[in-house]
Every structure is written in C-alpha cells, then in structure tokens.
Amino acid sequence: KEKVEITKAQRALMKVIVDAYNRHKIPQDVAKKLLQDQYSAEENFLLLTEMATSQVQVLVEFTKNIPGFLSLNHEDQIALLKGSAVEAMFLRSAQVFSQKMPNGHTEVLEERIRKSGISEEFMTPMFNFYKSIGELHMIEEEQALLTAITILTPDRPFVKDQQAVERLQEPMLEVLRKLCVLQHPQEPQYFARLLGRLTELRTLNHYHAEMLTSWRMNDHKFTPLLCEIWDVQ
Ligand SMILES: O=C(NC1CCCCC1)[C@H](C1CCCCC1)n1c(-c2ccc(CO)cc2)nc2ccccc21
C-alpha cells in the first residue's frame, strides 16, 4: 500500500493556487439571476457575454498567480490563455451548476438553461458534462488545481516551448494525484476520472462557437475581449 504524503513544498503550491482561485472566483450571481426570472434569448445571450467577459478577466488574474507562468515566453502565455478560455468557462459553469442549491433549484436552473436560446442539439453533451462534474463532488483544492492544469495544457495550438509548460503542469498533476488518493482512499481510480473530465471538456470546445452562432436570435453581439478569445465575429 503506497504511503502517500503531500510535502511542505506541495502544500505551499496548493495554497498559492487555491488562494488565487478563491480571490478570482467569478460571482455566483448568474445562477441567482437565472433562478429569479425567465429571460428572453436576447437577454440570456447578453447575460452570457457579460458573465463570460468578466470570467476571462478573472481567469487572466488567476493565471498570473500560477507559479512560473509569467516566466513563460509571452506568446506562449497568450496561446495558453486563448487555448483554455472556453474550457475554463465550461468548467466554471459546471461548478456553478453543481453547487449545492435548495431543493428543486437545480431543476429550475437546468430548465432555464434549456430554454435560454441555446439550440437543442448541444443540451445533451453540455448537461452530461455538468452532471459528470457534479458526481465528483470536488473540493475547492481539486477545482482550483484542475483549472490550473487545464490552463497549463502543453499541446495548445501555437505553443512554442511545450516542455516549459509541461514543467509547470507536472507538479500540479502530482499534487492533484496525491490529493485524490488522500481525499478518496476508497476510490483509487478517482484521479483518473478527474482527468477524464478534461478530455470531455475538450469536446465542448468544438461545440462552443456553433452554440453561440446558433443562439435563437439575430445579430449576436460580442465584447472586444470575447472576439479576441473566442474567435467569433
Ligand atoms: O452565464 C453562463 N455561464 C457563466 C460563464 C462564466 C462563468 C460562470 C458561468 C451561462 C448561462 C448564460 C445565460 C443563459 C443560460 C446559460 N451558463 C452556461 C453556458 C455557458 C456557455 C454556453 C455557450 O457557450 C452555454 C451555456 N452553463 C451554465 C451552467 C450554470 C449556470 C450558468 C451557465
């Protein structure tokens, strides 16, 4: 039986990531807003672009706190942010969807999202992902590390020095692996399940642009930041 122990250095790394994650957590109010009222497709689209714009800003601040990130080649820093922004948004959306809510609220939230303006064909893959994230009951350390690991994916398009990114991602993966063994001793495959979610997350990337352009309304307007990061308009 492997004796797993998180070293002092690993605990310090985890603290830096979790503190940054908590400092830069996007306000949960999108769920509250959606539970309050039924909005039109136009209002929902505007809500999405506002929430996503502030989430990108929050993501940049979080990323700057990842040890070593600012020492990467500057073009690579941009390539990593651009390559992970949509995945980070869906990961955050999944965490918002899976957060503890009073009885029946999750069902109302799901209904509001189903009727928000997104076309039907994307509902199954999106909610399958949200529910598979919810089933993991991740603690915030796992959520924060998973977000950092997603950003530090070496094989994003246009990344030149992939080894430098791997050198930052590997210690995060090792801390997460140990954390999973300590948190879920009865589930030795839990870490593998967590990484499997990142593979599922990548598939949502492919749907994303179409989800936006097929939103049931005319004239989809995006903020300049989203045009940059989402390759739309
Ligand atoms: O605002 C949102 N997500 C934000 C994003 C930034 C980080 C916090 C969450 C949107 C809603 C906007 C208004 C219409 C209903 C969806 N949303 C989505 C979502 C996100 C993107 C797409 C298309 O690419 C489709 C759906 N999944 C959610 C799950 C739970 C709660 C909101 C959720």
Side-chain angles (χ1 to χ4, degrees):
K1 190 108 180 59
E2 183 206 7
K3 173 90 189 70
V4 163
E5 190 198 338
I6 293 181
T7 66
K8 259 168 68 73
Q10 288 176 322
R11 201 165 293 287
L13 172 63
M14 192 155 57
K15 184 169 173 11
V16 165
I17 298 298
V18 173
D19 290 350
Y21 186 73
N22 284 333
R23 249 195 333 274
H24 302 116
K25 204 183 264 187
I26 182 154
Q28 312 282 10
D29 58 7
V30 61
K32 222 188 328 289
K33 264 182 97 103
L34 289 168
L35 288 164
Q36 251 155 12
D37 277 319
Q38 183 99 27
Y39 298 104
S40 71
E42 286 74 11
E43 287 165 328
N44 277 318
F45 191 82
L46 181 65
L47 180 57
L48 169 65
T49 53
E50 285 166 353
M51 292 308 295
T53 298
S54 72
Q55 199 254 347
V56 170
Q57 290 156 344
V58 155
L59 188 74
V60 170
E61 285 317 304
F62 169 67
T63 305
K64 284 161 63 176
N65 288 276
I66 297 176
F69 182 83
L70 293 177
S71 317
L72 291 171
N73 166 295
H74 282 209
E75 280 81 23
D76 284 355
Q77 292 178 29
I78 301 296
L80 291 175
L81 275 166
K82 216 165 137 41
S84 62
V86 170
E87 290 177 23
M89 179 198 62
F90 277 120
L91 193 52
R92 189 80 203 105
S93 297
Q95 288 155 2
V96 170
F97 186 78
S98 332
Q99 69 193 346
K100 191 85 195 81
M101 277 189 275
N103 278 349
H105 285 214
T106 303
E107 288 69 21
V108 172
L109 180 58
E110 175 164 347
E111 204 41 40
R112 291 277 156 84
I113 295 171
R114 285 187 181 282
K115 292 201 170 62
S116 62
I118 306 165
S119 60
E120 191 51 40
E121 69 200 278
F122 303 114
M123 293 299 165
T124 308
M126 190 172 73
F127 282 110
N128 283 350
F129 176 69
Y130 291 170
K131 287 166 188 178
S132 64
I133 286 287
E135 281 157 15
L136 291 168
H137 302 295
M138 278 192 269
I139 59 173
E140 68 176 9
E141 286 81 354
E142 289 165 340
Q143 290 184 11
L145 284 166
L146 204 62
T147 304
I149 287 162
T150 300
I151 296 162
L152 296 171
T153 299
D155 62 339
R156 295 293 185 200
F158 315 114
V159 170
K160 293 192 288 284
D161 188 352
Q162 292 198 10
Q163 282 74 18
V165 182
E166 276 164 21
R167 280 196 293 274
L168 297 183
Q169 190 193 44
E170 267 151 21
M172 305 273 176
L173 283 162
E174 181 53 14
V175 177
L176 182 59
R177 186 188 67 78
K178 287 185 171 180
L179 195 64
C180 290
V181 171
L182 294 171
Q183 278 292 354
H184 312 268
Q186 75 292 5
E187 256 196 284
Q189 79 292 354
Y190 182 84
F191 177 58
R193 277 177 67 201
L194 218 46
L195 296 189
R197 298 286 72 81
L198 296 188
T199 310
E200 195 178 350
L201 194 48
R202 283 193 178 214
T203 61
L204 289 180
N205 253 329
H206 304 308
Y207 294 123
H208 176 64
E210 227 190 306
M211 283 168 94
L212 297 172
T213 51
S214 66
W215 205 283
R216 245 190 341 274
M217 63 187 267
N218 308 314
D219 189 21
H220 306 88
K221 281 195 188 60
F222 300 94
T223 60
L225 182 57
L226 290 183
C227 290
E228 275 291 305
I229 207 117
W230 276 2
D231 285 334
V232 286
Q233 194 99 6

